[in-house]
Every structure is written in C-alpha cells, then in structure tokens.
C-alpha cells in the first residue's frame, strides 16, 4: 500500500505541476511549485480538484469556469485510468517504479556455499560495474529492465546470466580445476586475504594439484608445480627447499613451515600429504613479514582439511611401483678406459709411493702390474687377467644385489560429519615404502582429529586439532658401499667376494697380517647386505595439540586466542654386529699382538658396537589477535589486525656415545679407556678411542607483537602496511639488541573499471617493500666454550673458546622489493603473472678477523651482506573451457642471481677456494660459486699448465698455493678461457680439482 501511495503522489505532482504552469501563464503570475506532502496525498488530490487550502501552497487558478472545468475533467480522467493500473500490481523499489532500475543478489562458491567477496560484476552493453561485499551481496543500477550480467573472479570460472530488474539473483561460481596460481583467498597463517586486495606475492596450490602426484611426502608433490619454490640439494638445508634463492650465508636457510597457523619444527616427512587441503607460498616482504625474523627465507603455509557439515567417508589407496635406478644413465669411464689410465699412470710412477707402503690399498690391476715388474708374474698371465677385468662392470652387480624396484603403498581413511553447530573430522593413514635401496624400509602412521564448535553463532567459536605421527626408518646396511674401481667384482656364484673402499687395506697385507691372531680384516659388501650386519633404526614421533577460541565483538571486529603444544621424540640407534667390517676393522686397529707370549691385547673388547641418541623437543605457542574488516560507505574499506605472541622452545639432545662390547640380549657393555693414546696396528701411529656422545640442552624464549593494516578504495586501489617486533633471549647483552622491528608496505591497483574490451578480463599491478628477518641459533651474545678431553702443555684441562662475548650481536635482516603484474584474458582461459624482485641480506652472520690481543683471532658476528635479484613468471592456458574434458597447461619460469657484497674474511691460497668444503664467501661472486684452476694448454711434454704467482707454469704446488685470483676461474668464462677436461689422469689426478 505504501508503494501505491508513493506512486500516486508522484503522478499527482506531475499533473498538478503542469496545471500550475498553465494557470500561471494565463494569469501572468510567477510559476510556483506545489509542495505536496506525501503524508497527505489524498488531501492533495482533493485540493487539486477543489482549490482547498490545506497543507499545500496556493496556486492561482484560471479565472473562467470553463477553463476550470476542462482542467478538472482532464485530471479526473487521468486519475481514473491510472488507478486501475496501480491496483493491478505492487512494484518493487528496484523495478523502476521510482524512476531507477537495479539488480541485486548474492554470490557464493558452488563448493562450500561460502560468500565470495570482491567478485567483479559487469552488465553487458552498459557502463554499470560493481563488486560483491564481504557477505557476497551486491546491488547494481541498470538501464534496461532485462539483459545479461557477467560475474568474474580470479580462481573461479567466469559466469554470464540473464537478469530481470527487480528479481533477486542467487549466483554460484565454480572454482577452476587444478588451480596453480593465486586464487580468491590466500592464507598467511594469520589471516585470509581476498586476492582482489592482496598486494604481496603469493602462490597457492590446491588439493587437486597435490593429488596428481601420489608421493608419500609433501615436498615431492610440490616439486615442479610451484612458482618461486625450488627443491635443490644446494639450498643449504636438509629439505633442499629454497624460496627465491638464498638470503643468508651460514644461518638457517630453511623456509618457515606453517601448519594451520603455527610454525612446524619437525621433519616434513611426518606430514601426511593427504591431510593437506592447500599450500600457500609467501614470497615477498608484505606476504611474509608478518612472521618476522623467521620469514627471511620465505614462508610455506600448509592448511589441513577440516570437518564439514555433511557426513562423508573417504578412503584412498595408492600403490606405486618404480623401476630400479639406472646406474648406467650417468656417463663415466668404462672399465677398459679406467684400466688404460691406470696402466699409463703406473708407467709414469704415479703409484710407486702407495706400492712401497705395504698396507696401503692398491687396485687389482696395479697389483698385477707390480707383480709383473718385480718378476713374480708372467706378462701374458697378467694381461689375460686384466682382460677379464675389462669385461666386468661393477654396476651390474650393484643393480642385482644392492637395488630393487621401489614400492610405495598408502592407505587413508577419513570421516567427516557435522551440522551448523558442530563439525568433526578424523583421519587415519598408514604408509609403507620400500626404497630403491634393497636394505631400506620406511613406515608412517598418522592419526588426526579436528573439531569445530559454533557455540553462539559467530559470537563464540571453539576449535581443536589433535595430531599424532610415528615415522620409522630402518636400514640394514648402514655402513654403505661405494666402489673404488669400476671393474670390482662383488660375488662369484652368489659367494661374497672381497672388495675395496677408502677404509680397507691392501689385500696381500690382510692375507697374513697378525699371523692369525687378528680378526678377519676383509671387507665383503655382499656379506654385509645379506646378513644385515649394520642395523640402523630411527623413530620420529610427534604429538601436536591446538586449541582456538574466537568471538565476534562488534560488526566485523573479532578477537581470537590460539594455543599450540607440540612434543617431538626422536630416537636413533645403530647396531654394528661383531661380524661387521666396521667392528672388526676398529678392533684390529687398536689390537696389540705379542708373538712371544702369543697373546692379543684388545683395548676395544670383542662384541657388538652400539651407538644411540635421543632428542626431545617441546614447544608452547600462544597468540592473541584482534582483526577487523570495515566498510566506510560504498567506496572505502579498512581492515587489519593486531596481536601478540609468546613462544617457548626447549630441546634436549642426549647420547651416551659408542658402547663397546655390547650384548643386545643382556643390554650389557664394557667400559673403554678414552683418555689414553694407543698404537695403531697397521701404520705405527697413535690414536685415542672415540667415545662420542654428549648432552646439549637449549631453551629459546620469544615474544612478539605485530600489526597489519589495509585500506581499499572502490576495491580497486589498496594500500597495506605491517610491522612486527620480535625479542629473544639469545640477544641478551644489550637491551636494544634483543628485539628487531621488521616492517613492510605495499600497494596494488586493479584496472577492472577501465577494462572496456571483452578480451581482457583482469589486470592488476602491485608493488611491495620491506624487511624480513632470520636468526642463527648456533651462537649467542655470551661467552661460550668447550672443555676438551686433551690437556694443554702443562697437563691441565683445556677449555677452548667457541664464541667470544658479542654485545652487538643482532638479528639478520633481508630487504625485499617486489613488482608484479597479474593478468587474465579471454574469459579466464589465459592468464599469468610476472614479478621482479630484489633481496638484500644485511647484518648476516659470518667470520671476521679481529685484533689478536682480545684473545681470539676471529669472531662470528653480523659482518656480511648479500644481494639477490630475479624474475618469477607463470603463464597458464585452459584449452577446453566449458567442455566435458578440461586440459590446462602451466608454464613456470624462475631466475635467481645472487652475490656476496661484503665479507671481511679473505681466503688464503687458491686451494682453499677450489678444494674447500661448504660455502667460501668471496666478495663480488655468487654464494655457491664453482671455482676451477685455469688451463693454459700443454707443454712440450704434454703436461697441462696453469697459472701461479710466477706466471704460466706446470709447477703444480705453485699453482694450488698461489694467491693470485687470476690463476683460478670463477666460471664466468671469456671466449679464450676454456675448462680443461680429460680422462682421469694428468692434472686432474694430481690436483683433483680441475674438473
């Protein structure tokens, strides 16, 4: 009825206004507007017919009754006709009854029914554009009462629907399959950010992409499908993970792993990949700086599956079989070529020193050549034996006895159930893997339970997550075997044969050594494998309990409190059977034979040798956070969060060391003298018996506060900023060094309102700048030392300083700069992203010389700097959109270059650089630099030449001890500089570092 009254009043306004104008003209009066009051619409109607003065302003009427009659007649006829129309319908406000047409509705995901914020809405053929609100609702003015409207959002298929003005629309968007690039919402571990308003560099892999690879560990499933994430053994951490290159020299290089909003400190192999819903990689300062000093190497956020409102039972079983590794894939010298090089080097006298040392190991071919030279063997007999060696390739027997087909078996059962108030998930997984190594086995048991309670709608929510994993690794040939010669024979009709390693002695020496009083000193690899003589067992157990409570305070303001308790138990043990070569070799080395009394003294007793260690880690993590997402009118949005964290990490490593004379049945062992020097049987040297073992306790207390703020205008232009301060007890000398503030700024602009072409769907530019951090827990600001078991020159215990006091010790910092462009074409069928980044490491840990009068020659502190830059690019193409078969192709390109820009410790001789192990930082060169000696041709005798301080020479000692950097090559070669490569002789054999 209200709509009818309003419309009648509007019509009367028009009619009365026309009448007023006509009357004013006839009476030469000034035109006056009628100020109708809609509360008295019926009174106004009467007045317009009878000229009654009520609430309306007087309008002069025509002087003649005839004119008055015509006007009244027209008004009455007009009102009667339109009254029937008004009684026949009740129009909506958005149907145009008030002069404007509009459409409205809600946009949700077709998967979970959750509202989608920031969906771009465009009316075909009109300029009208808009986007959805936080609750997915929208309202947009249109010109035509009917037409077509399109809905588009990154991570979802573009949708076109027909509309009728005034009819509410319920829109469901379908997510894209196998989404590899940034999607609608990304998780930082602290908040979920809509893609439309994200300024940082994120990349996300969803569950479907993870399921394409049935590997047992999450890292294998991420390999090759994630932009900016590299799995490389040179990354400097056991996982081989690197996000946009290396940002430190000697500190921890592992990216921070976050599982369900809390850091994960354990082995990544403990994570069941089937429990993971999505993986998000945070690459730049704005994306990762909220994690503070732990984000310098990037952040990888794992989000696990949660309970759903409907009951589902999922069972997954994967069975994988892979062939044995192809040991012939990598090219190497054949047995015949290797023997030819040995003959050549023998003739040159290269082996004479080893031959003259009776116990020094020499190859079977060199042994035959020596027998011929000494007259103990005929040349023809030796050549026939050598020819038999030429036909042998040790890789054949390695493939037969040491490797097998890889078999992996995974089973997982997952049950979800719930309602609007309660949702639960329980999953049970068991995996077993028989690796390519014939002696290695792995099993993993995962149990996880997740519960979510919506107690008072949005005003009180509680969640718990309980997770237990047990990962067991066994290896029955822990000693391992690497052949020294390509023609080595391991078996003869399944009988184990003697072989050589770097630890074995000459065969002719071990045949008669000790006159039978020593243990068998032969090494037979096949015997070790067949009998499992070195048994390793590692058990890694972890228990995580997580509790979360959140409450809506007012409008979008929410407060949340989260707590994590994590316990990790790691037990490792290796049992060396008394029959193993490791035990026999160690016992014989320290044995002392008295041929007169025919007795043997054994400082290392007979029996097994048992090594074990245990590690206990416990973490308590608490967080309180307030976040909000408010709209100010239709154009402005302000969102953000503030919070505090407390973390306490404790770890204990304990190892009793080696237990000699161990009896596994009785759990007994014998004590040995680890303080005295004993003569070594074979070489006349002296050595102490290694006990090993130790006990290390560490506690790390941290507290942090942080904040993140975001402003958006029309959901197109976004500004973000974050700040965080971390404090740790590791930096406890100077109060101002205990904490470090880290911050970031970012901006982005979405050009959707300027996109007039139907070909270009999405275009966004963004940039960020800020600082991340890193920490080296191996050092501290306090003086630390280690007590050695050896004594000094005066017979007193010796304490060696490990770390001098350093009151200026501080956190490492990484300066980040990022530029990015996101684009989508042809209704989402083609798209991609291109980013350029810079990362400058500052205050990095490294060695630096110091004045010797302070008591030490150098110290470990914040002395180094590095510079890194690169490009991340990804292009994706969907071939068959809206077809039964969907095919998507992704092209990923990553390039990273780094170099050391400051380092005070200068290497000495060139051999320290070429032959050194680990990282040897050199200013102006990459962190991991391949360094070679320069090759300057051959002399008249065919000897390779290099460069020393004296110039081009074949004096190899001068070459390797030279400090002239022009004599080595950092692999930035000019056309005239070539790397000398040849078979295994010449300079390569002598120096071992030319290729």
């Amino acid at each position: 009825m209200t709509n009818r009254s309003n419309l009648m009043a509007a019509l009367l306004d028009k009619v009365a206004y026309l009448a007023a104008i006509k009357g004013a003209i006839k009476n030469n009066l000034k035109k006056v507007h009628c100020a109708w009051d809609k509360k008295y619409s019926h009174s106004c109607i009467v007045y317009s017919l009878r000229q009654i003065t009520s609430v309306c302003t007087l309008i002069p009427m025509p002087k003649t009754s005839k004119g008055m009659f015509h006007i009244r007649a027209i008004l009455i006829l007009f009102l009667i006709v339109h009254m029937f129309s008004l009684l026949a319908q009740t129009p909506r406000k958005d149907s145009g009854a008030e002069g404007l047409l509009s459409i409205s509705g809600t946009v949700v995901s077709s998967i979970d029914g959750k509202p989608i914020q920031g969906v771009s809405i465009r009316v075909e053929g009109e300029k009208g554009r808009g986007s959805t609100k936080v609750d997915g609702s929208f309202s947009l003015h249109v010109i035509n009462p009917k037409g077509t409207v399109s809905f588009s959002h990154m991570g979802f298929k573009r949708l076109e629907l027909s509309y009728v003005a005034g009819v509410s629309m319920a829109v469901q968007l379908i997510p894209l399959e196998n989404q590899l690039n940034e999607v609608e919402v990304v998780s930082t571990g602290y908040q979920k950010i809509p893609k439309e308003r994200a300024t940082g560099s994120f990349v996300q892999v969803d569950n479907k992409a993870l399921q394409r690879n049935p590997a047992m560990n999450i890292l294998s499933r991420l390999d090759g499908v994630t932009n900016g994430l590299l799995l490389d053994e040179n990354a400097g951490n056991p996982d081989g993970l690197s996000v946009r290159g290396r940002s430190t020299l000697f500190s921890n290089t592992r990216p921070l792993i976050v599982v369900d909003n809390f850091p994960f400190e354990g082995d990544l192999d403990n994570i069941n990949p089937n429990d993971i819903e999505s993986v998000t990689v945070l690459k730049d300062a704005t994306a990762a700086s909220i994690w503070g000093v732990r984000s310098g190497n990037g952040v990888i956020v794992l989000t696990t599956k949660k309970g759903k409102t409907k009951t589902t039972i999922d069972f997954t079983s994967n069975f994988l079989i892979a062939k044995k590794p192809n040991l012939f894939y990598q090219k190497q010298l054949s047995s015949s070529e290797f023997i030819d090089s040995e003959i050549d080097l023998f003739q040159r006298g290269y082996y004479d020193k080893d031959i003259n040392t009776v116990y020094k190991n020499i190859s079977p071919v060199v042994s035959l050549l020596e027998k011929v030279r000494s007259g103990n063997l005929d040349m023809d007999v030796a050549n026939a034996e050598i020819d038999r060696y030429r036909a042998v390739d040790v890789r054949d027997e390695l493939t037969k006895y040491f490797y097998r087909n890889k078999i992996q078996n995974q089973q997982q059962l997952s049950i979800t159930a719930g309602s609007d108030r309660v949702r639960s998930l329980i999953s049970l997984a068991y995996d077993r893997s028989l690796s390519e190594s014939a002696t290695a086995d792995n099993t993993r048991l995962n149990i996880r339970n997740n519960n979510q309670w919506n107690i008072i709608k949005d005003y009180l929510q509680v969640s718990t997550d309980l997770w237990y994993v047990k990962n067991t690794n066994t290896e029955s040939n822990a000693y391992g075997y690497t052949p020294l010669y390509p023609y080595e024979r391991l078996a003869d009709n399944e009988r184990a044969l003697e072989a050589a390693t770097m630890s074995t002695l000459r065969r002719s020496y071990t045949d008669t050594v000790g006159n039978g009083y020593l243990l068998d000193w032969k090494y037979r690899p096949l015997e070790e494998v067949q009998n499992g003589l070195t048994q390793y067992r590692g058990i890694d157990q972890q228990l995580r309990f997580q509790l979360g409570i959140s409450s809506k305070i007012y409008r979008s303001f929410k407060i949340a409190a989260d707590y994590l308790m994590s316990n990790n138990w790691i037990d490792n043990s290796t049992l060396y059977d008394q029959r193993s070569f490791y035990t026999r070799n160690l016992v014989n080395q320290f044995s002392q034979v008295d041929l007169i009394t025919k007795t043997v003294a054994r400082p290392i007793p007979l029996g097994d040798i048992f090594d074990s260690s245990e590690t206990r880690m416990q973490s308590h993590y608490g967080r309180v956070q307030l976040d909000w997402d408010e709209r100010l009118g239709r154009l402005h949005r302000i969102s953000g969060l503030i919070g505090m964290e407390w973390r306490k990490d404790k770890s204990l490593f304990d190892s009793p060391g080696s237990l000699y004379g161990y009896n596994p049945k009785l759990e007994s062992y014998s004590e040995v003298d680890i303080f005295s020097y004993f003569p070594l049987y074979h070489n006349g040297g002296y050595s102490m018996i290694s006990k090993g073992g130790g006990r290390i306790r560490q506690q790390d207390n941290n507290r942090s506060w942080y904040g993140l703020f975001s402003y958006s205008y029309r959901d197109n232009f976004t500004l973000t900023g974050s700040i965080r301060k971390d404090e740790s007890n590791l930096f406890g000398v100077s109060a101002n060094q205990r904490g470090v503030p880290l911050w970031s700024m970012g901006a982005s602009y979405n050009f959707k309102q300027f996109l007039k072409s139907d070909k270009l769907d999405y275009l966004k530019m963004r940039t960020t700048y800020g600082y991340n951090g890193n920490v080296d827990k191996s050092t501290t600001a306090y003086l630390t030392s280690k007590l050695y078991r050896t004594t000094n020159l005066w017979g007193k215990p010796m304490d060696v300083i490990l770390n001098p006091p350093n009151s200026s010790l501080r956190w490492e910092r990484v300066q980040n700069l990022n530029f990015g462009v996101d684009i989508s074409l042809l209704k989402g069928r083609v798209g991609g992203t291109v980013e350029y980044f810079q990362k400058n490491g500052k205050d990095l840990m490294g060695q630096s010389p110091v004045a010797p009068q302070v008591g030490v020659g150098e110290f470990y502190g914040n002395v180094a700097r590095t510079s890194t830059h690169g490009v991340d690019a990804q292009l994706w193409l969907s071939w068959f959109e809206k077809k039964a078969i969907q095919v998507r192709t992704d092209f990923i390109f990553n390039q990273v270059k780094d170099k050391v820009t400051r380092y005070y410790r200068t290497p000495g001789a060139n051999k320290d650089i070429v032959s050194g192990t680990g990282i040897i930082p050199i200013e102006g060169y990459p962190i991991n630099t391949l360094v070679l000696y320069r090759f300057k041709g051959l002399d008249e005798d065919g000897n390779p030449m290099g460069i020393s301080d004296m110039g081009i020479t074949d004096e190899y000692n001068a070459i390797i001890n030279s400090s002239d950097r022009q004599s080595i090559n950092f692999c930035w070669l000019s056309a005239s500089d070539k790397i000398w490569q040849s078979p295994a002789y010449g300079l390569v054999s002598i120096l071992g570092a030319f290729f």
Side-chain angles (χ1 to χ4, degrees):
M1 188 63 187
T2 301
N3 289 332
R4 295 195 185 102
S5 299
N6 292 341
L7 187 54
M8 288 171 61
L11 292 174
L12 290 172
D13 283 342
K14 297 294 184 181
V15 175
Y17 180 59
L18 293 175
I21 294 176
K22 184 175 180 180
I25 294 174
K26 287 185 177 182
N27 293 278
N28 295 319
L29 297 175
K30 185 179 179 180
K31 179 171 65 176
V32 180
H33 289 279
C34 182
W36 303 103
D37 190 334
K38 294 182 179 181
K39 291 176 62 178
Y40 307 102
S41 56
H42 299 289
S43 299
C44 292
I45 294 173
V46 174
Y47 170 77
S48 68
L49 297 176
R50 297 185 179 181
Q51 195 181 3
I52 298 175
T53 303
S54 60
V55 295
C56 301
T57 304
L58 278 176
I59 299 175
M61 303 302 291
K63 293 181 179 180
T64 64
S65 60
K66 183 178 180 180
M68 185 67 182
F69 175 81
H70 287 302
I71 293 174
R72 292 179 176 176
I74 292 173
L75 286 171
I76 293 172
L77 179 62
F78 186 86
L79 291 173
I80 292 174
V81 172
H82 283 81
M83 282 294 293
F84 287 102
S85 176
L86 292 171
L87 294 173
Q89 57 182 336
T90 304
R92 292 167 50 97
K93 290 182 179 180
D94 54 6
S95 65
E98 295 182 342
L100 295 175
L101 298 173
S102 64
I103 57 175
S104 61
T106 305
V107 182
V108 299
S109 171
S110 63
I111 298 297
D112 53 17
K114 293 183 178 180
I116 306 174
Q117 180 186 6
V119 177
S120 297
I121 305 172
R122 178 178 179 180
V123 180
E124 301 298 328
E126 298 183 13
K127 295 183 179 180
R129 294 172 181 268
S131 61
T132 56
K133 300 178 182 179
V134 178
D135 58 357
S137 64
F138 67 91
S139 179
L140 184 66
H141 293 298
V142 296
I143 299 175
N144 300 315
K146 294 183 180 181
T148 302
V149 60
S150 64
F151 302 86
S152 60
H153 196 64
M154 183 65 71
F156 292 87
K157 294 182 179 180
R158 188 174 184 270
L159 180 64
E160 292 185 355
L161 295 174
S162 298
Y163 73 82
V164 176
V167 179
S168 180
M169 305 180 70
V171 182
Q172 291 186 343
L173 293 186
I174 302 174
L176 291 173
E177 297 293 329
N178 298 330
Q179 183 68 14
L180 294 179
N181 60 309
E182 292 89 347
V183 295
E184 177 252 339
V185 172
V186 289
S187 174
T188 68
Y190 286 89
Q191 63 174 173
K192 292 184 178 180
I193 304 175
K195 172 72 169 83
E196 297 288 331
R197 295 188 284 117
T199 62
S201 179
F202 308 86
V203 64
Q204 189 176 65
V205 182
D206 68 2
N207 182 260
K208 291 186 178 180
L210 292 174
Q211 295 301 324
R212 294 186 308 181
N213 186 341
M216 288 181 60
N217 61 79
I218 189 66
L219 291 182
S220 297
R221 300 195 181 193
L222 290 175
D223 192 11
V225 300
T226 317
N227 191 10
L229 176 64
L230 176 66
L231 270 68
D232 181 14
E233 60 182 11
N234 294 320
N237 57 79
D239 300 317
L241 283 173
S242 174
V243 177
R244 288 186 166 179
R246 186 164 183 153
S247 302
T248 185
L249 295 177
F250 301 106
S251 298
N252 183 18
T253 64
R254 183 191 188 189
L256 175 64
I257 309 298
V258 177
V259 177
D260 286 340
N261 307 331
F262 279 107
F264 178 82
E265 304 292 352
D267 189 348
L268 287 179
D269 286 340
N270 290 343
I271 298 176
N272 177 19
N274 292 317
D275 275 336
I276 303 302
E277 183 67 29
S278 65
V279 179
T280 306
V281 182
L282 315 180
K283 299 185 291 184
D284 70 342
T286 297
S289 63
I290 194 66
W291 286 102
V293 295
R294 315 190 73 188
S295 61
N297 302 311
V299 181
I300 302 175
V301 181
L302 307 180
T303 302
T304 61
K305 297 177 180 178
K306 302 295 188 297
K308 299 179 181 179
T309 56
K310 60 181 180 180
T311 300
T312 60
I313 300 177
D314 295 327
F315 177 75
T316 303
S317 180
N318 294 325
F319 191 76
L320 174 67
I321 299 178
K323 289 185 177 180
K324 297 180 180 180
N326 182 7
L327 302 183
F328 296 87
Y329 178 79
Q330 185 176 1
K331 293 183 179 181
Q332 67 178 46
L333 293 176
S334 67
S335 297
S336 182
E337 292 171 332
F338 190 90
I339 290 173
D340 289 339
S341 68
E342 284 190 308
I343 294 174
D344 181 71
L345 291 173
F346 178 83
Q347 295 172 350
R348 295 170 179 262
Y350 179 73
Y351 299 111
D352 289 349
K353 182 178 179 181
D354 291 342
I355 293 172
N356 294 330
T357 305
V358 295
Y359 62 83
K360 199 69 175 291
N361 192 29
I362 58 176
S363 73
V365 169
V366 173
S367 178
L368 290 172
L369 296 175
E370 169 57 22
K371 290 180 181 179
V372 171
R373 187 170 64 179
S374 60
N376 295 325
L377 185 66
D378 184 72
M379 174 62 76
D380 293 336
V381 176
N383 287 336
E385 185 68 19
I386 290 175
D387 288 340
R388 282 193 289 271
Y389 282 128
R390 292 181 186 274
V392 175
D393 195 319
V394 69
R395 291 175 292 182
D396 291 323
E397 292 184 323
L398 283 176
T399 302
K400 179 179 180 180
Y401 297 110
F402 285 78
Y403 293 95
R404 64 187 174 192
N405 292 335
K406 181 178 181 179
I407 301 176
Q408 288 185 349
N409 193 11
Q410 295 179 314
Q411 288 87 26
Q412 168 153 326
L413 176 64
S414 177
I415 302 175
T416 63
S419 62
D420 294 337
R421 292 296 183 92
V422 180
R423 287 176 291 173
S424 298
L425 176 145
I426 184 169
S427 66
L428 175 66
Y430 178 79
D431 305 331
R432 184 175 184 184
S433 174
L434 303 179
S435 71
E436 298 93 340
S437 172
T439 56
D441 189 4
N442 169 259
T443 60
R444 182 179 65 200
L445 173 66
N446 278 86
I447 303 175
R448 180 171 170 264
N449 175 241
N450 174 264
N451 297 283
Q452 300 173 74
W453 294 276
N454 192 355
I455 299 176
I456 310 177
K457 295 185 178 180
D458 295 333
Y459 291 94
L460 182 58
Q461 296 176 330
V462 179
S463 65
T464 61
D465 197 285
L466 183 64
W467 172 37
Y468 170 77
V469 59
K470 181 179 181 181
N471 198 338
T472 304
N473 289 281
T474 59
E475 169 64 67
S476 59
N477 184 33
Y479 188 77
Y481 170 61
T482 302
L484 283 183
Y485 318 112
Y487 52 82
E488 193 84 78
R489 292 190 62 196
L490 305 180
D492 182 15
N493 294 327
E494 304 299 323
R495 181 176 63 88
L497 298 179
E498 179 184 0
T501 68
M502 297 297 294
S503 302
T504 56
L505 304 176
R506 189 180 304 179
R507 300 183 184 187
S508 59
Y509 175 78
T510 56
D511 286 340
T512 59
V513 65
N515 295 321
Y517 290 98
L518 297 178
L519 301 178
D520 177 18
W521 218 334
K522 302 290 185 181
Y523 174 55
R524 305 173 187 85
L526 184 58
E527 183 179 75
E528 303 275 329
V529 172
Q530 290 176 336
N531 297 316
L533 298 183
T534 52
Q535 294 282 345
Y536 165 79
R537 183 177 180 85
I539 301 177
D540 188 348
Q541 300 179 83
Q542 189 165 9
L543 178 67
R544 279 171 64 103
F545 172 74
Q546 189 169 332
L547 172 66
I549 302 174
S550 63
S551 176
K552 180 178 179 181
I553 302 175
Y554 173 72
R555 291 166 59 104
S556 66
F557 287 84
K558 295 181 180 180
I559 188 169
D562 295 279
Y563 169 75
L564 170 71
M565 181 194 69
S566 175
N567 286 280
N568 200 185
W569 305 274
I570 302 175
D571 297 284
N572 295 306
S573 64
T574 304
L575 179 64
Y576 300 94
D577 191 280
Q578 59 183 339
R579 298 170 295 167
S580 68
F581 174 76
Y582 176 86
T583 301
R584 291 183 283 111
N585 178 53
L586 205 58
V587 171
N588 283 344
Q589 284 189 27
F590 286 90
S591 295
Q592 303 168 34
V593 178
D594 189 338
L595 296 178
I596 297 177
T597 61
K598 297 181 180 182
T599 58
V600 180
R602 293 188 172 95
I604 296 181
L606 297 177
D608 298 346
I609 299 176
F610 184 66
D611 290 336
S612 65
S613 67
E614 62 179 29
T615 303
R616 302 292 181 260
M617 293 183 290
Q618 186 179 71
S619 296
H620 296 275
Y621 210 126
R623 178 188 301 158
V624 177
Q625 179 174 306
L626 173 70
D627 59 324
W628 64 90
D629 187 3
E630 287 290 309
R631 275 194 175 274
L632 304 179
R634 297 183 58 187
L635 303 180
H636 309 278
R637 179 197 297 269
I638 298 178
S639 60
L641 58 89
I642 56 174
M644 292 190 66
E645 290 182 345
W646 300 266
R647 189 176 84 248
K648 183 177 182 179
D649 297 326
K650 296 192 298 183
S651 65
L652 173 64
F653 171 83
D654 190 17
S655 173
S658 299
L659 303 181
Y660 297 98
Y662 182 75
N663 187 324
K665 293 182 179 180
L666 302 177
E667 293 284 346
S668 62
Y669 62 94
S670 302
E671 292 289 350
V672 296
D673 182 359
I674 62 174
F675 298 101
S676 302
Y677 282 91
F678 296 95
L680 297 179
Y681 188 89
H682 63 287
N683 63 10
Y686 284 82
S687 176
M688 292 188 298
I689 299 175
S690 176
K691 175 68 173 179
R695 183 180 177 91
I696 302 174
R697 183 188 298 272
Q698 187 174 19
Q699 180 168 313
D700 188 6
N701 298 321
N702 293 266
R703 62 184 180 187
S704 310
W705 60 264
Y706 57 90
L708 187 148
F709 307 93
S710 174
Y711 165 76
S712 296
Y713 176 73
R714 303 178 72 97
D715 286 333
N716 292 339
F717 176 66
T718 302
L719 289 174
T720 61
S722 68
I723 186 170
R724 178 181 177 115
K725 186 174 183 180
D726 292 291
E727 295 181 344
S728 172
N729 62 313
L730 293 177
F731 311 96
V733 178
S734 299
N736 61 345
Q737 301 292 351
R738 294 180 184 176
V740 57
L742 300 170
W743 55 271
S744 71
M745 298 184 300
S748 66
Y749 193 84
N750 192 330
F751 292 87
K752 59 185 178 182
Q753 63 180 354
F754 300 108
L755 303 181
K756 305 299 182 181
S757 172
D758 293 335
K759 304 298 183 182
L760 183 59
D761 309 322
Y762 183 83
L763 178 62
K764 180 180 177 181
M765 298 183 67
R766 47 190 168 81
T767 182
T768 60
Y769 177 80
Y771 282 86
N772 301 124
N774 200 3
V775 61
D776 186 349
K777 293 187 177 182
S778 66
T779 188
T780 178
Y782 298 99
L783 172 67
T784 56
S785 62
K786 179 179 181 180
L787 180 63
Y788 271 46
R789 57 177 175 164
T790 57
T791 59
N792 58 20
L793 297 176
W794 298 273
K796 301 297 183 182
M798 185 166 56
D799 213 27
V800 178
I801 295 177
L802 298 178
N803 188 73
N806 183 5
S807 60
S808 62
L809 184 68
R810 55 196 179 274
W811 310 81
E812 292 186 342
R813 296 182 300 147
V814 182
Q815 182 189 61
N816 280 268
L817 177 66
N818 190 84
F819 297 97
V821 177
D822 305 318
I823 191 171
S824 177
L825 304 168
L826 304 176
K827 300 181 180 180
R829 295 187 61 183
V830 181
T833 179
V834 178
E835 293 179 292
Y836 171 78
F837 63 88
Q838 291 182 353
K839 299 171 64 176
N840 298 318
K842 299 183 177 183
D843 297 332
L844 304 185
M845 301 298 294
Q847 297 287 349
S848 176
V850 67
Q853 57 264 32
V854 302
V856 293
E858 62 182 19
F859 78 99
Y860 185 65
N862 306 95
V863 298
R865 289 191 175 189
T866 61
S867 176
T868 304
H869 66 275
V871 175
D872 288 346
Q874 180 173 358
L875 173 67
W876 50 268
L877 173 62
S878 181
W879 296 93
F880 305 108
E881 188 68 14
K882 298 181 180 180
K883 300 293 183 180
I885 299 177
Q886 295 183 349
V887 178
R888 174 185 164 120
T889 303
D890 284 81
F891 302 93
I892 297 176
F893 173 79
N894 302 116
Q895 183 187 48
V896 180
K897 292 184 178 180
D898 60 46
K899 66 177 180 180
V900 179
T901 58
R902 188 177 76 182
Y903 198 72
Y904 294 131
R905 183 184 185 185
T906 304
N910 287 335
K911 65 179 180 181
D912 298 331
I913 302 175
V914 177
S915 304
T917 58
I919 293 178
I920 303 175
I922 303 175
E923 287 189 9
Y925 293 96
I927 298 174
N928 285 298
T929 305
L930 176 62
V931 185
L932 312 169
Y933 293 105
R934 288 186 183 272
F935 173 63
K936 289 300 180 181
L938 304 175
D939 62 12
E940 61 275 8
D941 297 327
N943 296 319
M945 296 186 297
I947 302 177
S948 70
D949 296 336
M950 301 176 293
I952 298 177
T953 179
D954 60 356
E955 293 291 335
Y956 303 135
N957 285 331
I959 293 174
I960 64 177
N961 291 308
S962 172
S963 59
D964 183 6
R965 301 298 184 246
Q966 297 299 320
S967 64
I968 55 178
N969 196 328
F970 290 90
C971 290
W972 292 341
L973 304 176
S974 62
S976 60
D977 293 324
K978 297 181 180 179
I979 301 176
W980 181 74
Q981 298 182 6
S982 73
Y985 58 90
L987 266 180
V988 179
S989 294
I990 296 174
L991 302 180
F994 269 79
F995 75 101

